[in-house]
Amino acid sequence: MATTANILTLLKYYTSKQKSPFVEYNEFADYIHRYAQHHMSENADLVVYCGASYLETLDEEIQHLVGQKQAVITSIHNKDHILVVPYLVEHYAAIYRSIETTVTVPYPIYSDIPKNCPTSILTQVSALDTIYELLDKQELSDRILYTLVFDKGVPSILFPSNVSVQVLISSALAKLQHLLAKGESHDYFLKKLSISNPGKELSIKSFFTQFVTKPEAALDVIKDTGETFYYWSQLFYFIKQDYTKLKDFTPEDMNILQAVAIAEIATSYYKSKASERQVKNEAFELLDRLLKNPPYYHSMADILKMKDPTGVLLLGQYKEDELKAHLDFLTTDAQANELPNLLIFKVSEDEGYFICKEKVMPLIIRLTNDARVLIRESLVKQWYKVLLDFETLPEMKETAAFERCLERELSSCEPILYGLLNSTFLSVIAFDDRTPGRVALYRDGMLVPFSEMLMLSRAEIYADARIKLPFWYGVPVISWIMKLLTKKPAAKKTVKKAPQKTATRTLTDEERAVETEKVRKLDTADSFDPKKSRKRELRKAASDVEKILVPAESTLDRELESFVGEWNDRIGKRNHDNLTEDVNNLIRDYLRKTLRSLRSEAFTYDRIKSLAESLVSSPSMMQIKNHPALKHYIELYMVKLVKNLPA
């Protein structure tokens, strides 16, 4: 043993030499004194046990160990003795090692404790709770000697903290295997199981044989057991039923009952874990499906708020760290030379989104269509105002400046699309894209110009802006004269017109006050009409739901138009329009029936979602393939219908 000044280590060493958990106090004090004198040159910490006051120092150390329940001072034959708990822990650990090799060795019980050992050295705990805790997390040490207390009169056993709980469970299963391997017991319990499960004889025999003939794999069988948990509980019940009928228990009988109790706790634990694992797996499967639903891109905050069909948050069926691990797996797991199924793109340094690989191109097509309308309208308005002041912009004349302008507009009005176009994975997806009517995003390894992608013509936008101008802007002489007349000096300010502006502003305020008063009177009148009041509340509720369903940079009509293109795949304008009208009629009829009994306060996003799910799963809608897009369209259309209820 290396030189040490640790008293507990020296106590354990001394008891191992004496082969007894008891150390006579004075003998140990004399041993420490001589040990310190001999090894003081090697370890300077031992000097405190060399002087005349070493007994006081030793007494303080022993009392400290007593406080930690590592030692107990007891009197034997009128002499103080130190009971060393770690020695007993190691002693019973050796018994468990012998049980691993010889299953007939009984579990240690309270009566096996040496005489003069106080009960304070034992930590009495519930076997169920402790085995559950140790299966979740166990740190082996020689500091605790447990007394595992079972229910229903099964004798308690001693269990040292330096033995793995897996060893305890394996030993219990080995004892039961030893019992069931005997000829009479084997046939007897197999017959009882078969009789209690008619029609499942082959399954019972396979289960029973696997358990009895493969003792080394018994613990793994319990861990991986799914449907056979019921067989385990029946088998344990039949064994207990037979043994509890006995009037006088032999040590072997008690050993079997203790083994059954331990095995029951283990199977109960692994059954609960299997149930938790199933719930978690189902939640992750639902999450994977929800990630493919509109709007197809989801932030981490969106994912944390995802719910199952009953409205219960998925977070709770799995932990947040498990969710992050699952997302990490989806975003990294991929075959050679392929992208993972879930991708990440950023729209800013602090904002990122997840998107399924298969949804990237459909989303780009949809957002491109939306962006084309927004950017065209925005540029026409901007250029019209500039031309109205007889000014020009570089993007009106130069192609390069026009492309830069489109990029600025796109990053502002459709940041999601802009983030996708600048993602690292888009080139791979665009190259592998084989969908009908695919959009060519790259040419010669470079992203195509924004004007080509958005199908926007600089000349057409310029022409649309000019056509809105008064006719005389197109007459060179008149437009030149008007430019001179309307152009104001930069430094000159008109002070005399200020009162006129104030008068105009006051008049506007008065008109606004009159209009406000009219609206207030109408609202007051409507409040006495229950039908009008209910409609107004429904319209307000629909506006609240619209804020949830429609992105801030888009509109309700634009979202409806974009989602129609996703679920309505009919070829030909007439067929396309007919299908859309049929679906709209179904939604209107369904909503009309629902609104008769629907309270205005119940018209929420969750309620709209539930109505859409019921309608999309109806037989009339089954022929439409893209159900997620159809469901989102139904939600939007219902909001539009309620929002436009007549006064």
Side-chain angles (χ1 to χ4, degrees):
M1 183 185 71
T3 304
T4 179
N6 185 280
I7 294 300
L8 182 59
T9 304
L10 292 171
L11 274 170
K12 289 191 285 186
Y13 175 70
Y14 194 77
T15 52
S16 65
K17 289 180 62 179
Q18 299 293 324
K19 296 184 179 179
S20 170
F22 295 100
V23 176
E24 203 277 317
Y25 197 101
N26 291 331
E27 288 183 4
F28 182 69
D30 183 59
Y31 166 76
I32 288 295
H33 187 58
R34 288 184 284 105
Y35 177 87
Q37 289 178 333
H38 184 70
H39 295 287
M40 185 178 62
S41 59
E42 301 173 29
N43 192 333
D45 293 337
L46 292 169
V47 70
V48 294
Y49 302 112
C50 295
S53 60
Y54 77 92
L55 287 175
E56 296 178 5
T57 305
L58 178 61
D59 186 60
E60 290 179 2
E61 291 290 337
I62 297 297
Q63 290 301 322
H64 181 66
L65 293 177
V66 171
Q68 293 180 330
K69 294 185 178 182
Q70 296 301 291
V72 177
I73 304 298
T74 184
S75 178
I76 303 175
H77 303 304
N78 297 323
K79 290 184 178 180
D80 286 340
H81 284 69
I82 306 171
L83 172 60
V84 184
V85 174
Y87 177 88
L88 287 176
V89 173
E90 179 54 38
H91 170 72
Y92 291 111
I95 295 177
Y96 276 90
R97 287 193 291 271
S98 65
I99 293 175
E100 287 187 272
T101 56
T102 309
V103 296
T104 55
V105 175
Y107 289 116
I109 57 177
Y110 178 75
S111 60
D112 296 332
I113 296 177
K115 294 180 180 179
N116 301 312
C117 280
T119 57
S120 60
I121 67 169
L122 302 175
T123 301
Q124 185 169 303
V125 292
S126 163
L128 176 66
D129 296 339
T130 304
I131 291 176
Y132 267 51
E133 291 174 5
L134 295 179
L135 283 171
D136 284 333
K137 183 179 181 181
Q138 182 180 15
E139 295 180 1
L140 301 178
S141 70
D142 61 357
R143 302 175 67 85
I144 304 174
L145 184 59
Y146 293 108
T147 302
L148 299 181
V149 181
F150 300 102
D151 296 332
K152 300 179 182 178
V154 178
S156 305
I157 65 172
L158 302 179
F159 182 64
S161 60
N162 61 346
V163 173
S164 170
V165 69
Q166 305 287 351
V167 172
L168 176 67
I169 296 169
S170 296
S171 66
L173 296 174
K175 290 178 182 295
L176 297 178
Q177 288 168 331
H178 180 72
L179 168 69
L180 298 175
K182 298 176 183 178
E184 294 181 0
S185 297
H186 180 280
D187 297 338
Y188 174 72
F189 287 110
L190 177 57
K191 185 176 180 180
K192 292 196 77 170
L193 275 176
S194 300
I195 292 173
S196 63
N197 295 276
K200 298 182 179 180
E201 289 79 5
L202 288 177
S203 176
I204 289 291
K205 187 174 182 180
S206 174
F207 157 76
F208 197 86
T209 304
Q210 185 183 29
F211 175 56
V212 174
T213 59
K214 297 181 179 179
E216 71 284 350
L219 185 57
D220 293 332
V221 169
I222 285 185
K223 288 180 180 179
D224 299 334
T225 295
E227 299 178 354
T228 55
F229 276 121
Y230 179 67
Y231 298 157
W232 285 109
S233 63
Q234 279 194 317
L235 178 60
F236 297 148
Y237 172 76
F238 291 141
I239 295 174
K240 287 191 299 181
Q241 188 181 50
D242 273 36
Y243 274 81
T244 50
K245 292 178 182 178
L246 302 174
K247 294 182 179 180
D248 298 321
F249 289 108
T250 65
E252 291 77 13
D253 297 336
M254 289 192 300
N255 210 24
I256 292 298
L257 288 175
Q258 290 165 338
V260 170
I262 294 168
E264 275 188 314
I265 294 172
T267 52
S268 173
Y269 172 85
Y270 288 116
K271 180 180 179 181
S272 64
K273 289 298 179 183
S275 177
E276 291 175 9
R277 191 163 53 248
Q278 182 178 358
V279 170
K280 188 188 305 179
N281 290 339
E282 290 175 355
F284 279 131
E285 288 175 4
L286 177 58
L287 172 67
D288 294 345
R289 293 197 298 272
L290 292 177
L291 289 173
K292 297 179 182 180
N293 286 354
Y296 304 135
Y297 57 93
H298 309 276
S299 66
M300 191 63 186
D302 297 332
I303 295 174
L304 291 173
K305 295 177 183 177
M306 286 184 174
K307 300 178 180 179
D308 62 16
T310 63
V312 178
L313 282 173
L314 294 180
L315 185 64
Q317 300 175 44
Y318 47 69
K319 298 178 182 177
E320 189 167 347
D321 57 341
E322 293 171 336
L323 170 62
K324 292 180 180 177
H326 181 70
L327 294 175
D328 287 341
F329 173 77
L330 293 179
T331 53
T332 55
D333 180 61
Q335 297 180 0
N337 301 322
E338 288 190 8
L339 290 171
N341 290 328
L342 190 65
L343 305 170
I344 302 174
F345 68 95
K346 286 191 171 185
V347 297
S348 66
E349 289 295 327
D350 302 323
E351 189 177 11
Y353 291 90
F354 295 91
I355 185 171
C356 292
K357 178 172 62 176
E358 63 193 72
K359 298 299 181 181
V360 172
M361 293 308 296
L363 180 61
I364 287 179
I365 294 172
R366 173 194 155 195
L367 294 181
T368 302
N369 292 332
D370 293 346
R372 179 186 307 111
V373 178
L374 290 173
I375 294 175
R376 182 183 179 85
E377 291 176 356
S378 175
L379 290 183
V380 169
K381 289 179 182 178
Q382 292 178 31
W383 291 10
Y384 166 72
K385 291 179 181 179
V386 172
L387 292 173
L388 200 60
D389 292 335
F390 299 97
E391 301 289 343
T392 58
L393 296 172
E395 49 263 34
M396 297 177 181
K397 306 295 183 182
E398 302 172 10
T399 301
F402 181 63
E403 294 296 334
R404 291 194 296 270
C405 174
L406 291 180
E407 184 175 4
R408 289 195 305 271
E409 292 289 329
L410 184 63
S411 64
S412 175
C413 72
E414 283 291 0
I416 300 299
L417 176 58
Y418 188 73
L420 284 171
L421 294 176
N422 287 279
S423 62
T424 56
F425 55 75
L426 182 60
S427 57
V428 179
I429 292 178
F431 179 79
D432 295 336
D433 184 33
R434 294 293 181 268
T435 56
R438 60 188 295 266
V439 178
L441 295 178
Y442 286 85
R443 185 185 303 119
D444 299 329
M446 299 293 291
L447 200 65
V448 299
F450 289 103
S451 57
E452 183 177 337
M453 187 188 306
L454 298 170
M455 291 186 290
L456 290 175
S457 168
R458 175 170 55 86
E460 290 180 1
I461 295 174
Y462 184 73
D464 288 347
R466 283 188 59 85
I467 205 170
K468 297 175 67 177
L469 296 171
F471 77 93
W472 43 265
Y473 272 75
V475 181
V477 177
I478 298 177
S479 62
W480 178 77
I481 295 172
M482 292 302 298
K483 180 179 179 181
L484 292 177
L485 293 175
T486 57
K487 190 172 182 180
K488 301 174 184 178
K492 189 175 181 181
K493 294 183 180 180
T494 306
V495 181
K496 293 182 180 180
K497 290 187 179 181
Q500 184 179 352
K501 290 183 180 179
T502 304
T504 304
R505 183 166 57 252
T506 304
L507 182 59
T508 306
D509 289 342
E510 290 176 357
E511 292 175 350
R512 188 181 296 111
V514 171
E515 292 298 325
T516 304
E517 182 64 21
K518 288 181 181 178
V519 171
R520 188 188 66 78
K521 289 180 179 179
L522 287 173
D523 289 343
T524 304
D526 288 349
S527 63
F528 293 100
D529 188 338
K531 291 184 178 180
K532 291 185 178 180
S533 178
R534 180 173 178 270
K535 287 182 179 180
R536 187 171 63 254
E537 290 173 357
L538 283 171
R539 289 196 296 269
K540 183 179 183 303
S543 297
D544 294 337
V545 177
E546 180 185 7
K547 294 176 183 177
I548 299 174
L549 292 173
V550 180
E553 65 275 4
S554 186
T555 63
L556 182 59
D557 290 334
R558 189 176 295 120
E559 290 294 305
L560 282 166
E561 185 180 349
S562 64
F563 277 103
V564 167
E566 294 192 30
W567 61 263
N568 192 341
D569 56 356
R570 294 292 175 89
I571 300 175
K573 187 177 186 306
R574 185 174 180 179
N575 293 333
H576 184 280
D577 293 344
N578 288 341
L579 178 60
T580 302
E581 187 57 32
D582 290 343
V583 170
N584 290 346
N585 288 334
L586 284 171
I587 299 172
R588 283 194 293 267
D589 293 342
Y590 183 74
L591 186 62
R592 189 181 299 112
K593 297 175 183 177
T594 305
L595 286 179
R596 292 173 185 171
S597 58
L598 184 67
R599 291 171 295 135
S600 56
E601 59 270 20
F603 192 81
T604 61
Y605 170 68
D606 291 335
R607 181 60 173 156
I608 284 287
K609 187 177 178 182
S610 175
L611 293 173
E613 287 173 352
S614 300
L615 186 55
V616 81
S617 58
S618 64
S620 305
M621 300 287 194
M622 294 307 294
Q623 294 182 353
I624 299 175
K625 297 178 181 178
N626 194 344
H627 274 201
L630 175 61
K631 175 178 168 293
H632 203 67
Y633 175 82
I634 293 173
E635 294 172 357
L636 293 166
Y637 195 69
M638 284 183 174
V639 170
K640 181 177 180 179
L641 291 174
V642 176
K643 187 180 175 185
N644 294 330
L645 283 174

